[in-house]
Amino acid sequence: MATVAKRQKIEDEKPSTSKESRSKKKSKKNATTGEISTDWDVDNYRTEYESEEHWQLRRDFMMAHKDRFDEERLVCLAQTFINMEFLGCKYPSETMLLVAELSKEIAEEFRQKRALRLKRTFVNASDAAEQRAKGRSQQPMQKKQVQLESQSTSSAERMCFGGGAPLDLFEGLRFGNLIIYLAGGRSCLRNSCNLAKMKYDERLIEAQTNETSKTAEIVINDEVIATGQGDNLKAAKVAAYKQALLLLQTHCYSIKLNAARATIKVEKGKNGIDINVTKESADSLTDSKLDASNKGYRMMRMMGWTGGGLGRRKQGREEPVGYLLKNNRMGLGSNDPHANLADYRKLIENYVNSDDIRDMQFEPNFSKEERATFHQIASKFGLRSSSYGTGESRRLLITKKISYNIILNEVLTKRNPKFCERYFVQVPMQKAHLFPGNVAALDLESIME
């Protein structure tokens, strides 16, 4: 018996050579020292059935956080990320928020690469122009282009993970298609509910005889979503409004204008009206000569143009005409300083017909009567106009009315730079796994009072 016991003791003392035993020893050692071990190979976790795209994304996730989590937990988090990104799987809210935060930069880079792949499927417009210049038949090319655009647009609009049905941004949300537009102070909730055709009410609750404070509640579609107390009715409504706003932010999409957004500045100068239009949206007269990146430049080169002004003696103008720069009746491109009501109307009409979504900001050197005229013209064109500032610093803003659904689609699905620069979007908690880059809470300070 003593011999058997001795043999058993020796076998127990033999070092284990298996991978599992080594892993357990490392984990035990790390638990003792309080340090996270990074001495393990990420590539050992690739499976035979895993595609290159899925594995690369999962590998990047593990490499990015290898020094923050232990091996077992990090492998689980990486697989959770892949399941959320490609399969739309749902997990407890704490897990989804953690994965969304950890994968923010990795997922953003992956989606940008995927968007570039979609863009490559479109037929380049310059190729079509070249075919026309060479006199080739375009009917087969046009059919092919329409098919490719249809397929690519369909793929881009779906934004589905691994294929499947088109993505419904509002599926499963508690308040349906309600979108909170964070503007207008305390009236933002009422305005947002009106646009979504939902009932909104702020009402007083009858207090008990022994209570001195007031109690108010916020009701949406006959459902009480928040209550608040205060020394008076206004204070109680403000407290209820703050609670309602925080609740709705977790269940609805929120949109807020970027206070530092670019605008089209319009002001009076010595030579008439000056408009500050950047090259991103129109050709600027400060730097307006065509270059090789311009489609018109390439088309003209293919038709024999070698540069300079048009005409036999090249006496024509070399710079293009800015689309918002007509401020008189002297013809496009004229620099005549005189302006009148028809010129202002044409100026705003050109803005309406452009694809520029920035605000037109009329500087303080316009008179009160001129600002009133701008308000009237903007109203006739279906634009939103508002004045701000006092006295000699008073300005006027004219803005295009863009539906909230379009803003969400352009920012979240298409990642349109013009919209992303202009609007901040926060997604509800239930959609955090789809858009981890838009999980961060928006600042509510300006609309809390």
Side-chain angles (χ1 to χ4, degrees):
M1 292 294 293
T3 305
V4 175
K6 186 176 181 180
R7 185 184 305 114
Q8 182 67 35
K9 182 178 180 181
I10 293 174
E11 288 177 356
D12 292 342
E13 291 176 353
K14 287 183 179 179
S16 174
T17 57
S18 66
K19 180 179 179 181
E20 181 179 357
S21 299
R22 288 197 303 268
S23 178
K24 288 182 178 180
K25 286 187 177 182
K26 287 181 181 179
S27 300
K28 188 174 181 180
K29 180 180 179 180
N30 294 335
T32 304
T33 60
E35 297 179 355
I36 296 175
S37 174
T38 59
D39 187 20
W40 55 278
D41 192 358
V42 171
D43 294 324
N44 287 338
Y45 285 95
R46 180 169 187 177
T47 58
E48 296 179 359
Y49 55 82
E50 193 169 20
S51 69
E52 182 66 31
E53 184 180 47
H54 286 208
W55 163 245
Q56 192 58 48
L57 196 60
R58 192 159 68 99
R59 186 181 188 278
D60 291 344
F61 184 94
M62 289 190 286
M63 292 299 295
H65 306 291
K66 192 175 181 181
D67 57 343
R68 296 181 57 185
F69 300 94
D70 60 72
E71 180 179 355
E72 184 177 351
R73 188 183 183 194
L74 183 57
V75 172
C76 292
L77 288 173
Q79 187 60 54
T80 302
F81 166 52
I82 294 299
N83 294 344
M84 290 166 55
E85 182 72 18
F86 289 99
L87 304 178
C89 295
K90 297 179 181 179
Y91 297 91
S93 58
E94 296 81 2
T95 303
M96 293 174 66
L97 287 175
L98 173 62
V99 173
E101 183 64 28
L102 294 175
S103 63
K104 184 176 180 180
E105 296 182 0
I106 300 170
E108 186 69 22
E109 182 180 357
F110 168 72
R111 290 177 189 137
Q112 289 177 359
K113 291 179 180 178
R114 180 168 53 188
L116 287 175
R117 289 200 300 270
L118 286 175
K119 289 181 180 179
R120 293 193 192 106
T121 62
F122 285 90
V123 176
N124 196 317
S126 62
D127 294 340
E130 183 178 3
Q131 297 292 334
R132 286 194 294 271
K134 294 180 179 180
R136 296 180 182 177
S137 173
Q138 288 302 301
Q139 188 172 359
M141 177 63 72
Q142 289 172 356
K143 289 183 179 180
K144 184 177 180 181
Q145 180 176 350
V146 170
Q147 292 174 355
L148 287 173
E149 288 180 351
S150 176
Q151 294 171 1
S152 300
T153 304
S154 175
S155 300
E157 288 179 350
R158 274 200 221 162
M159 261 306 279
C160 30
F161 303 89
L167 177 65
D168 184 357
L169 292 177
F170 301 96
E171 181 182 5
L173 295 184
R174 176 180 172 184
F175 295 94
N177 63 344
L178 176 61
I179 302 171
I180 309 301
Y181 191 79
L182 301 175
R186 273 187 52 212
S187 62
C188 79
L189 292 186
R190 184 181 300 276
N191 295 338
S192 299
C193 287
N194 289 340
L195 286 176
K197 298 182 180 180
M198 303 178 72
K199 297 180 183 178
Y200 178 86
D201 191 19
E202 299 176 359
R203 61 194 185 193
L204 175 67
I205 299 177
E206 295 297 333
Q208 301 293 331
T209 55
N210 58 346
E211 292 183 0
T212 58
S213 62
K214 303 291 183 180
T215 304
E217 59 185 15
I218 303 294
V219 183
I220 294 181
N221 277 356
D222 300 324
E223 177 189 355
V224 178
I225 65 169
T227 58
Q229 290 185 335
D231 296 335
N232 50 58
L233 178 59
K234 181 179 179 181
K237 285 186 175 182
V238 169
Y241 162 80
K242 290 181 178 180
Q243 287 190 21
L245 188 57
L246 293 175
L247 171 69
L248 291 174
Q249 269 203 307
T250 64
H251 294 282
C252 305
Y253 292 95
S254 302
I255 300 175
K256 187 176 184 180
L257 267 175
N258 180 6
R261 66 189 183 277
T263 60
I264 304 172
K265 293 186 179 181
V266 185
E267 58 184 342
K268 282 185 178 179
K270 295 181 180 179
N271 296 323
I273 297 178
D274 296 327
I275 303 177
N276 178 18
V277 182
T278 63
K279 292 174 64 177
E280 283 74 10
S281 60
D283 297 309
S284 171
L285 290 184
T286 59
D287 185 16
S288 57
K289 291 186 178 181
L290 296 177
D291 56 29
S293 64
N294 186 280
K295 294 179 181 178
Y297 175 92
R298 295 196 298 269
M299 291 175 65
M300 293 176 65
R301 292 284 292 183
M302 286 187 287
M303 289 185 279
W305 179 63
T306 58
L310 299 179
R312 188 175 63 178
R313 293 189 294 272
K314 296 187 178 182
Q315 72 277 14
R317 63 183 295 160
E318 296 184 39
E319 70 278 358
V321 178
Y323 70 89
L324 289 176
L325 297 177
K326 185 181 186 324
N327 56 14
N328 49 58
R329 295 182 175 180
M330 300 302 293
L332 286 172
S334 173
N335 292 321
D336 189 277
H338 302 289
N340 53 30
L341 179 61
D343 300 332
Y344 293 150
R345 181 181 178 85
K346 187 62 180 177
L347 178 71
I348 296 177
E349 182 180 357
N350 288 344
Y351 168 66
V352 172
N353 294 331
S354 73
D355 61 353
D356 203 320
I357 64 172
R358 294 174 299 166
D359 306 322
M360 287 190 73
Q361 178 175 304
F362 291 82
E363 294 299 285
N365 49 14
F366 287 96
S367 65
K368 180 179 179 180
E369 292 73 18
E370 287 173 322
R371 289 198 302 271
T373 299
F374 295 147
H375 279 294
Q376 295 175 359
I377 297 174
S379 177
K380 290 180 180 179
F381 280 107
L383 302 171
R384 183 183 294 109
S385 61
S386 59
S387 296
Y388 67 97
T390 57
E392 296 181 354
S393 62
R394 194 158 180 81
R395 291 174 169 82
L396 170 71
L397 276 181
I398 293 181
T399 309
K400 290 182 177 179
K401 296 179 181 179
I402 304 175
S403 74
Y404 300 161
N405 285 357
I406 292 178
I407 295 174
L408 290 184
N409 188 43
E410 294 292 331
V411 173
L412 299 178
T413 305
K414 298 182 179 180
R415 304 299 299 172
N416 188 327
K418 290 183 179 180
F419 282 80
C420 293
E421 187 275 335
R422 179 176 173 82
Y423 299 102
F424 297 132
V425 174
Q426 178 187 349
V427 299
M429 184 182 298
Q430 196 169 347
K431 304 295 182 180
H433 63 287
L434 298 178
F435 309 103
N438 296 88
V439 174
L442 300 179
D443 181 24
L444 302 178
E445 183 178 356
S446 60
I447 60 168
M448 273 297 194
E449 300 298 336

